[in-house]
């Protein structure tokens, strides 16, 4: 490691401060409105699917609008599908003709995305699918060895293009590393992942790489559930707003999570020193559906009041019982009250510290602090109705780093 190579702690510092990112799944599949797996699940022949590129010309695509919505949501970074499993590149690739630059749109959407995020001051993530359903060698390496080799070569060449042609990139979000008939260590061997990621780090020394190329790298990526990694290990839950398999646009998507659920998932991730990557699936024209826009804006309104309890959060050594969760930062602890108690009196078990103040972030009201047996703290004098419908945060200023008893 040379002197200027940043340490893991230096590389991941911004990520811990960020806590909240927006995932974007958008591509040819958006035209069909049946999710990003439509080509595979409906067995659409490669040539038939490829003809969608002639229709993909989203005049309304506006990367600045995406960036502006992410900022309004209180997100600090985005991760965008530069290429999904269908093989269609939203960037200019010298090793593929199946790209948005060489088809109807004649646009490098990744370049527009990068420019918009830089302008907005957001960190930049690239999602890249290693697998590509167009290669028979992906499905059967023995029957199609040359195709399997070409698939890996494509991945190395395109990752190099993405790491070379768009300036400083903050996250490389691999996906699609699984290979039929190959397990465990062989996966990294098949993709030559160690060689690939060494090249990435040479080109982008500050970058964070996730754990989906067959090697752990920097970040764990629980999907659709919030599960903390061990202290010291970066992790990020990715989740859809709608149905589980609706990363890409699904025209009729009946199950949108509520704002309450989404905020409480974000808090749960922050409580475990992890990040929450919440997905939107823009429509074929590049605009984001209102159900997703409304939810992101509501999260942003909540973060504008309570963000200090999320951004840069640390694990808190004491919990909040059944009422909710706790996060910490420096000498402060934050009680996230999801289930406001009937009388507005909140019991917090296990605080060893002296509490200097207890303030409801949403209203500025001070709670009266009393202590009881068994190391219990009582927060009193609070309203009977919850000040926030989703998560009322009470900031405790302590006499030092939070300690449990
Ligand atoms: O197969 C993909 C899926 O389409 C989507 O991109 C998610 C997002 O994390 N990843 C894979 C499923 O685990």
């Amino acid at each position: 490691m040379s002197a200027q190579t940043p340490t893991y702690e230096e590389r991941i510092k911004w990520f811990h401060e960020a806590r909240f990112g927006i995932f974007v799944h958008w591509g040819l599949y958006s035209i069909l409105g049946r999710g990003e797996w439509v080509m595979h699940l409906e067995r659409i022949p490669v040539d038939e699917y490829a003809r969608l590129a002639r229709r993909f010309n989203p005049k309304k695509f506006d990367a600045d609008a995406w960036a502006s919505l992410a900022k309004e949501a209180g997100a600090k970074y985005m991760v965008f599908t530069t290429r999904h499993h269908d093989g269609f590149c939203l960037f200019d690739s010298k090793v593929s003709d199946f790209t948005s630059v060489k088809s109807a749109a004649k646009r490098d959407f990744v370049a527009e995305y990068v420019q918009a995020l830089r302008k907005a001051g957001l960190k930049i993530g690239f999602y890249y699918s290693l697998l590509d359903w167009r290669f028979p060698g992906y499905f059967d390496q023995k029957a199609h060895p040359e195709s399997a080799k070409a698939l890996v070569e494509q991945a190395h060449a395109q990752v190099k293009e993405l790491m070379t042609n768009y300036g400083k990139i903050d996250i490389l979000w691999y996906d699609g590393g699984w290979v039929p008939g190959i397990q465990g260590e062989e996966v990294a061997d098949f993709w030559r992942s160690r060689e690939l990621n060494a090249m990435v780090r040479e080109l982008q020394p500050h970058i964070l790489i996730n754990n989906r190329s067959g090697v752990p790298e920097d970040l764990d990526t629980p999907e659709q559930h919030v599960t903390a990694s061990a202290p010291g290990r970066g992790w990020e839950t990715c989740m859809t707003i709608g149905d589980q398999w609706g990363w890409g646009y699904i025209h009729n998507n009946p199950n949108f999570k509520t704002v309450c659920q989404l905020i409480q998932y974000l808090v749960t991730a922050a409580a475990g020193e992890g990040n929450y990557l919440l997905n939107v699936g823009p429509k074929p024209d590049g605009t984001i559906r209102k159900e997703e826009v409304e939810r992101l804006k509501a999260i942003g309104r909540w973060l504008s009041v309570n963000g200090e309890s999320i951004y840069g959060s640390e694990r808190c050594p004491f919990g909040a019982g059944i009422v909710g969760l706790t996060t910490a930062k420096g000498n402060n602890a934050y009680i996230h009250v999801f289930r406001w108690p009937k009388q507005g009196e909140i019991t917090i078990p296990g605080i060893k510290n002296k509490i200097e103040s207890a303030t409801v972030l949403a209203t500025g009201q001070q709670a009266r602090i009393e202590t009881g047996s068994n190391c219990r703290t009582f927060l009193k004098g609070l309203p009977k109705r919850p000040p926030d419908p989703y998560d009322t945060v009470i900031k405790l200023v302590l006499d030092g780093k939070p300690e449990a008893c």
Side-chain angles (χ1 to χ4, degrees):
M1 182 186 292
S2 59
Q4 72 275 15
T5 307
T7 64
Y8 179 71
E9 289 69 24
E10 287 165 339
R11 291 187 289 114
I12 204 166
K13 188 170 183 298
W14 73 264
F15 187 78
H16 283 307
E17 187 53 40
R19 288 287 173 254
F20 183 36
I22 304 297
F23 211 172
V24 184
H25 277 69
W26 187 62
L28 289 188
Y29 42 81
S30 308
I31 294 172
L32 300 179
R34 299 192 295 278
E36 75 287 355
W37 270 66
V38 63
M39 173 182 169
H40 185 72
L41 294 177
E42 297 185 6
R43 299 186 187 179
I44 302 173
V46 170
D47 294 346
E48 179 181 327
Y49 184 87
R51 288 200 285 274
L52 288 170
R54 300 174 190 168
R55 297 165 50 187
F56 192 64
N57 189 11
K59 299 285 188 200
K60 288 186 186 173
F61 175 79
D62 175 3
D64 288 318
W66 286 8
S68 167
L69 175 61
K71 287 197 77 168
E72 188 171 351
K76 303 297 183 184
Y77 63 102
M78 294 183 87
V79 177
F80 176 40
T81 49
T82 64
R83 179 172 79 64
H84 207 266
H85 310 335
D86 59 358
F88 186 68
C89 299
L90 294 166
F91 62 95
D92 190 14
S93 173
K94 300 263 182 292
V95 299
S96 172
D97 291 334
F98 194 41
T99 80
S100 58
V101 175
K102 298 173 187 171
S103 57
K106 293 186 176 32
R107 290 167 73 174
D108 184 329
F109 292 110
V110 167
E112 295 181 45
Y113 158 80
V114 166
Q115 187 180 23
L117 265 63
R118 285 226 173 90
K119 198 162 65 178
L122 293 166
K123 294 286 191 181
I124 299 165
F126 283 172
Y127 168 111
Y128 180 81
S129 169
L130 291 165
L131 77 83
D132 182 334
W133 288 321
R134 297 174 304 142
F135 289 71
Y138 166 69
F139 297 98
D140 187 339
Q141 302 84 44
K142 290 187 177 57
H144 308 281
E146 285 312 306
S147 171
K149 185 169 180 288
L151 171 66
V152 177
E153 292 305 326
Q154 172 183 263
H156 280 244
Q158 290 186 335
V159 168
K160 186 168 187 175
E161 288 175 323
L162 290 168
M163 295 295 107
T164 305
N165 300 337
Y166 298 97
K168 183 171 179 289
I169 303 307
D170 301 292
I171 299 178
L172 177 54
W173 216 99
Y174 285 118
D175 204 7
W178 59 88
V179 186
I182 295 180
Q183 265 84 37
E185 276 295 306
E186 292 173 10
V187 170
D189 296 340
F190 174 81
W191 294 111
R192 302 189 348 250
S193 301
R194 291 177 185 80
E195 171 196 337
L196 178 61
N197 293 337
M199 177 268 291
V200 169
R201 294 194 189 280
E202 190 64 34
L203 292 167
Q204 299 278 348
H206 295 81
I207 202 163
L208 292 173
I209 302 175
N210 77 358
N211 63 342
R212 295 196 181 191
S213 65
V215 283
E217 297 299 351
D218 302 316
L219 297 173
D220 292 336
T221 54
E223 182 166 316
Q224 303 287 18
H225 59 92
V226 184
T227 306
S229 296
R233 170 78 177 161
W235 64 277
E236 170 197 71
T237 278
C238 57
M239 192 178 282
T240 51
I241 292 178
D243 282 326
Q244 172 166 0
W245 284 103
W247 298 91
Y249 178 64
I250 291 182
H251 186 65
N252 284 313
N253 195 324
N255 301 307
F256 289 102
K257 297 174 184 70
T258 65
V259 172
C260 194
Q261 286 172 310
L262 297 172
I263 287 174
Q264 293 185 5
Y265 280 126
L266 170 62
V267 172
T268 307
E273 290 177 343
N275 286 21
Y276 189 49
L277 187 65
L278 187 57
N279 182 76
V280 294
K283 293 185 282 190
D285 67 0
T287 61
I288 297 172
R289 67 191 315 164
K290 67 177 171 48
E291 296 90 347
E292 294 177 341
V293 170
E294 287 163 356
R295 285 161 174 80
L296 291 188
K297 288 183 174 180
I299 295 169
R301 288 192 293 272
W302 182 85
L303 279 168
S304 66
V305 172
N306 302 288
E308 69 173 275
S309 70
I310 299 294
Y311 301 126
S313 67
E314 299 158 354
R315 282 175 166 89
C316 184
F318 49 79
I322 191 63
V323 297
L325 294 173
T326 54
T327 57
K329 190 159 53 181
N331 290 358
N332 300 328
Y334 298 90
I335 313 296
H336 293 266
V337 185
F338 297 162
R339 292 167 280 275
W340 193 258
K342 192 167 55 175
Q343 296 306 327
E345 292 189 1
I346 298 170
T347 299
I348 305 295
I351 303 180
K352 186 174 182 182
N353 303 79
K354 180 178 174 303
I355 303 171
E356 289 167 10
S357 64
T359 308
V360 176
L361 290 183
T363 60
Q365 183 185 357
Q366 299 286 316
R368 194 171 64 252
I369 304 162
E370 295 178 11
T371 54
S373 61
N374 289 352
C375 197
R376 290 177 295 163
T377 297
F378 306 112
L379 303 179
K380 296 188 172 183
L382 295 170
K384 286 190 172 43
R385 297 184 56 75
D388 185 285
Y390 309 125
D391 168 15
T392 299
V393 181
I394 301 173
K395 176 179 180 179
L396 305 183
V397 177
L398 307 174
D399 62 351
K401 291 281 280 176
E403 285 185 83
C405 50

